[in-house]
Amino acid sequence: LEYPRRAMILSSFDGIKIKKNQFVNLESRRKNNPERGSIWAELGSNAEFEGNDYQPSPYTTEKLLQADPETTRNIVLK
């Protein structure tokens, strides 16, 4: 909760599950990073995101997951 930047950076992965987490950033910071609270994925495959509670706010990005389309594949949001 209340991440200053990205919540996670996934790199060089194969077969990872991110389940039942809360991503909530309802309080303003001195500098509100546009990627705040999100997950970035690159250079990997077979990631599953299930049952995560992401609450966008004026201080975060609208999407929980952002991935490099050229270096990731088989990313599943449930």
Side-chain angles (χ1 to χ4, degrees), residues 20-49:
K20 299 181 181 177
N21 296 282
Q22 284 189 321
F23 301 87
V24 181
N25 292 283
L26 301 177
E27 297 178 20
S28 181
R29 298 180 62 85
R30 276 189 270 187
K31 182 176 180 185
N32 291 301
N33 224 305
E35 64 203 24
R36 184 175 173 206
S38 65
I39 297 172
W40 172 252
E42 64 184 5
L43 303 167
S45 58
N46 306 313
E48 185 178 304
F49 297 83

Short mmCIF file of all heavy atoms in Angstrom, two decimals, residues 20-49:
data_model
loop_
_atom_site.label_atom_id
_atom_site.label_comp_id
_atom_site.label_asym_id
_atom_site.label_seq_id
_atom_site.Cartn_x
_atom_site.Cartn_y
_atom_site.Cartn_z
N LYS A 20 -3.72 -12.18 -5.10
CA LYS A 20 -4.34 -11.66 -3.89
C LYS A 20 -3.54 -10.56 -3.19
O LYS A 20 -3.24 -10.65 -2.00
CB LYS A 20 -4.65 -12.80 -2.93
CG LYS A 20 -5.61 -13.81 -3.51
CD LYS A 20 -5.92 -14.91 -2.54
CE LYS A 20 -6.86 -15.91 -3.19
NZ LYS A 20 -7.15 -17.03 -2.33
N ASN A 21 -3.18 -9.54 -3.93
CA ASN A 21 -2.47 -8.38 -3.38
C ASN A 21 -3.36 -7.15 -3.46
O ASN A 21 -4.28 -7.09 -4.26
CB ASN A 21 -1.19 -8.13 -4.17
CG ASN A 21 -0.22 -9.27 -4.04
OD1 ASN A 21 0.45 -9.41 -3.04
ND2 ASN A 21 -0.16 -10.12 -5.06
N GLN A 22 -3.05 -6.16 -2.65
CA GLN A 22 -3.74 -4.88 -2.71
C GLN A 22 -2.76 -3.82 -3.19
O GLN A 22 -1.64 -3.74 -2.69
CB GLN A 22 -4.25 -4.46 -1.34
CG GLN A 22 -5.48 -5.19 -0.89
CD GLN A 22 -6.04 -4.56 0.36
OE1 GLN A 22 -5.31 -4.14 1.24
NE2 GLN A 22 -7.35 -4.48 0.43
N PHE A 23 -3.20 -3.03 -4.15
CA PHE A 23 -2.42 -1.93 -4.69
C PHE A 23 -3.28 -0.67 -4.54
O PHE A 23 -4.17 -0.42 -5.35
CB PHE A 23 -2.07 -2.18 -6.16
CG PHE A 23 -1.28 -3.44 -6.37
CD1 PHE A 23 -1.91 -4.66 -6.55
CD2 PHE A 23 0.10 -3.40 -6.36
CE1 PHE A 23 -1.18 -5.82 -6.74
CE2 PHE A 23 0.84 -4.56 -6.54
CZ PHE A 23 0.21 -5.78 -6.73
N VAL A 24 -3.03 0.08 -3.47
CA VAL A 24 -3.86 1.23 -3.13
C VAL A 24 -2.94 2.43 -2.87
O VAL A 24 -2.03 2.35 -2.05
CB VAL A 24 -4.71 0.95 -1.87
CG1 VAL A 24 -5.58 2.15 -1.55
CG2 VAL A 24 -5.55 -0.31 -2.06
N ASN A 25 -3.16 3.49 -3.58
CA ASN A 25 -2.39 4.73 -3.41
C ASN A 25 -3.37 5.90 -3.40
O ASN A 25 -3.57 6.55 -4.40
CB ASN A 25 -1.37 4.90 -4.53
CG ASN A 25 -0.29 3.86 -4.47
OD1 ASN A 25 0.61 3.95 -3.67
ND2 ASN A 25 -0.39 2.84 -5.31
N LEU A 26 -3.96 6.14 -2.26
CA LEU A 26 -5.00 7.17 -2.16
C LEU A 26 -4.47 8.50 -1.63
O LEU A 26 -5.19 9.49 -1.63
CB LEU A 26 -6.14 6.67 -1.26
CG LEU A 26 -6.81 5.39 -1.75
CD1 LEU A 26 -7.88 4.95 -0.75
CD2 LEU A 26 -7.41 5.58 -3.12
N GLU A 27 -3.22 8.51 -1.16
CA GLU A 27 -2.65 9.73 -0.61
C GLU A 27 -1.66 10.35 -1.59
O GLU A 27 -0.87 9.65 -2.21
CB GLU A 27 -1.94 9.42 0.71
CG GLU A 27 -2.87 8.91 1.79
CD GLU A 27 -2.15 8.57 3.08
OE1 GLU A 27 -1.03 9.07 3.28
OE2 GLU A 27 -2.72 7.80 3.86
N SER A 28 -1.71 11.65 -1.71
CA SER A 28 -0.78 12.36 -2.57
C SER A 28 0.62 12.37 -1.96
O SER A 28 0.77 12.32 -0.74
CB SER A 28 -1.26 13.80 -2.77
OG SER A 28 -0.37 14.48 -3.61
N ARG A 29 1.62 12.38 -2.81
CA ARG A 29 3.00 12.53 -2.38
C ARG A 29 3.52 13.86 -2.95
O ARG A 29 2.89 14.46 -3.80
CB ARG A 29 3.83 11.36 -2.87
CG ARG A 29 3.36 10.03 -2.29
CD ARG A 29 4.18 8.87 -2.78
NE ARG A 29 5.58 8.94 -2.39
CZ ARG A 29 6.06 8.51 -1.23
NH1 ARG A 29 5.28 7.98 -0.32
NH2 ARG A 29 7.35 8.59 -0.97
N ARG A 30 4.70 14.28 -2.49
CA ARG A 30 5.26 15.53 -3.05
C ARG A 30 5.39 15.44 -4.56
O ARG A 30 5.12 16.38 -5.27
CB ARG A 30 6.61 15.83 -2.43
CG ARG A 30 6.49 16.53 -1.10
CD ARG A 30 7.81 17.00 -0.64
NE ARG A 30 8.37 15.92 0.16
CZ ARG A 30 9.47 15.99 0.86
NH1 ARG A 30 10.18 17.09 0.83
NH2 ARG A 30 9.88 14.99 1.57
N LYS A 31 5.82 14.26 -5.04
CA LYS A 31 5.90 14.03 -6.48
C LYS A 31 5.12 12.75 -6.77
O LYS A 31 5.50 11.67 -6.33
CB LYS A 31 7.36 13.87 -6.92
CG LYS A 31 7.48 13.67 -8.41
CD LYS A 31 8.91 13.60 -8.86
CE LYS A 31 8.98 13.40 -10.35
NZ LYS A 31 10.33 13.20 -10.82
N ASN A 32 4.01 12.88 -7.48
CA ASN A 32 3.20 11.72 -7.83
C ASN A 32 3.67 11.16 -9.17
O ASN A 32 3.42 11.75 -10.22
CB ASN A 32 1.72 12.11 -7.89
CG ASN A 32 1.19 12.43 -6.52
OD1 ASN A 32 1.23 11.59 -5.64
ND2 ASN A 32 0.72 13.65 -6.33
N ASN A 33 4.38 10.05 -9.11
CA ASN A 33 4.92 9.40 -10.28
C ASN A 33 3.80 8.81 -11.13
O ASN A 33 2.91 8.15 -10.59
CB ASN A 33 5.84 8.27 -9.80
CG ASN A 33 7.10 8.23 -10.57
OD1 ASN A 33 7.06 8.14 -11.79
ND2 ASN A 33 8.22 8.28 -9.88
N PRO A 34 3.79 8.99 -12.44
CA PRO A 34 2.71 8.47 -13.28
C PRO A 34 2.62 6.94 -13.29
O PRO A 34 1.59 6.39 -13.61
CB PRO A 34 3.03 9.02 -14.67
CG PRO A 34 4.45 9.40 -14.63
CD PRO A 34 4.77 9.73 -13.20
N GLU A 35 3.69 6.25 -12.93
CA GLU A 35 3.70 4.78 -12.90
C GLU A 35 3.44 4.23 -11.49
O GLU A 35 3.47 3.02 -11.27
CB GLU A 35 5.05 4.27 -13.41
CG GLU A 35 6.18 4.70 -12.51
CD GLU A 35 7.53 4.73 -13.16
OE1 GLU A 35 7.62 4.87 -14.38
OE2 GLU A 35 8.51 4.61 -12.43
N ARG A 36 3.16 5.08 -10.58
CA ARG A 36 3.03 4.73 -9.16
C ARG A 36 2.04 3.57 -8.93
O ARG A 36 0.92 3.59 -9.39
CB ARG A 36 2.58 5.95 -8.39
CG ARG A 36 2.50 5.76 -6.92
CD ARG A 36 2.17 7.06 -6.23
NE ARG A 36 1.94 6.82 -4.82
CZ ARG A 36 1.20 7.57 -4.05
NH1 ARG A 36 0.63 8.64 -4.54
NH2 ARG A 36 1.04 7.27 -2.80
N GLY A 37 2.48 2.56 -8.19
CA GLY A 37 1.64 1.44 -7.80
C GLY A 37 1.45 0.37 -8.85
O GLY A 37 0.82 -0.64 -8.59
N SER A 38 2.03 0.54 -10.03
CA SER A 38 1.82 -0.42 -11.11
C SER A 38 2.92 -1.49 -11.14
O SER A 38 3.90 -1.42 -10.41
CB SER A 38 1.79 0.30 -12.46
OG SER A 38 3.04 0.88 -12.73
N ILE A 39 2.72 -2.46 -12.01
CA ILE A 39 3.70 -3.53 -12.24
C ILE A 39 4.20 -3.40 -13.67
O ILE A 39 3.41 -3.25 -14.61
CB ILE A 39 3.06 -4.91 -12.04
CG1 ILE A 39 2.59 -5.07 -10.60
CG2 ILE A 39 4.03 -6.02 -12.43
CD1 ILE A 39 1.77 -6.32 -10.35
N TRP A 40 5.50 -3.48 -13.86
CA TRP A 40 6.12 -3.47 -15.19
C TRP A 40 6.68 -4.86 -15.45
O TRP A 40 7.35 -5.44 -14.59
CB TRP A 40 7.24 -2.43 -15.26
CG TRP A 40 8.04 -2.51 -16.52
CD1 TRP A 40 9.31 -2.96 -16.67
CD2 TRP A 40 7.61 -2.13 -17.83
NE1 TRP A 40 9.71 -2.88 -17.98
CE2 TRP A 40 8.66 -2.37 -18.72
CE3 TRP A 40 6.43 -1.62 -18.34
CZ2 TRP A 40 8.58 -2.12 -20.08
CZ3 TRP A 40 6.34 -1.37 -19.70
CH2 TRP A 40 7.41 -1.61 -20.55
N ALA A 41 6.42 -5.41 -16.63
CA ALA A 41 6.92 -6.73 -17.02
C ALA A 41 7.70 -6.61 -18.32
O ALA A 41 7.27 -5.95 -19.27
CB ALA A 41 5.77 -7.71 -17.17
N GLU A 42 8.87 -7.29 -18.35
CA GLU A 42 9.70 -7.30 -19.55
C GLU A 42 10.52 -8.59 -19.59
O GLU A 42 10.75 -9.22 -18.56
CB GLU A 42 10.65 -6.09 -19.55
CG GLU A 42 11.65 -6.11 -18.42
CD GLU A 42 12.55 -4.89 -18.35
OE1 GLU A 42 12.35 -3.95 -19.13
OE2 GLU A 42 13.46 -4.89 -17.52
N LEU A 43 10.91 -8.99 -20.78
CA LEU A 43 11.80 -10.12 -20.98
C LEU A 43 11.31 -11.40 -20.30
O LEU A 43 12.05 -12.09 -19.60
CB LEU A 43 13.21 -9.79 -20.46
CG LEU A 43 13.88 -8.57 -21.08
CD1 LEU A 43 15.10 -8.16 -20.30
CD2 LEU A 43 14.22 -8.83 -22.54
N GLY A 44 10.02 -11.73 -20.49
CA GLY A 44 9.51 -12.93 -19.83
C GLY A 44 8.23 -13.45 -20.45
O GLY A 44 7.64 -12.84 -21.33
N SER A 45 7.83 -14.61 -19.94
CA SER A 45 6.60 -15.23 -20.42
C SER A 45 5.92 -16.00 -19.29
O SER A 45 6.53 -16.30 -18.27
CB SER A 45 6.91 -16.18 -21.59
OG SER A 45 7.83 -17.17 -21.19
N ASN A 46 4.65 -16.30 -19.54
CA ASN A 46 3.85 -17.12 -18.63
C ASN A 46 3.70 -16.51 -17.25
O ASN A 46 4.11 -17.08 -16.24
CB ASN A 46 4.44 -18.53 -18.54
CG ASN A 46 4.59 -19.17 -19.90
OD1 ASN A 46 3.66 -19.12 -20.70
ND2 ASN A 46 5.75 -19.72 -20.19
N ALA A 47 3.08 -15.34 -17.21
CA ALA A 47 2.77 -14.68 -15.94
C ALA A 47 1.25 -14.66 -15.76
O ALA A 47 0.51 -14.41 -16.69
CB ALA A 47 3.31 -13.26 -15.93
N GLU A 48 0.82 -14.93 -14.53
CA GLU A 48 -0.60 -14.96 -14.20
C GLU A 48 -0.87 -14.01 -13.04
O GLU A 48 -0.20 -14.08 -12.02
CB GLU A 48 -1.01 -16.37 -13.83
CG GLU A 48 -2.48 -16.55 -13.58
CD GLU A 48 -2.82 -17.99 -13.26
OE1 GLU A 48 -2.48 -18.87 -14.08
OE2 GLU A 48 -3.39 -18.22 -12.19
N PHE A 49 -1.84 -13.13 -13.23
CA PHE A 49 -2.24 -12.17 -12.21
C PHE A 49 -3.68 -12.49 -11.85
O PHE A 49 -4.57 -12.41 -12.69
CB PHE A 49 -2.11 -10.75 -12.74
CG PHE A 49 -0.71 -10.37 -13.08
CD1 PHE A 49 -0.15 -10.73 -14.30
CD2 PHE A 49 0.08 -9.70 -12.17
CE1 PHE A 49 1.15 -10.39 -14.62
CE2 PHE A 49 1.38 -9.36 -12.47
CZ PHE A 49 1.92 -9.72 -13.70
#
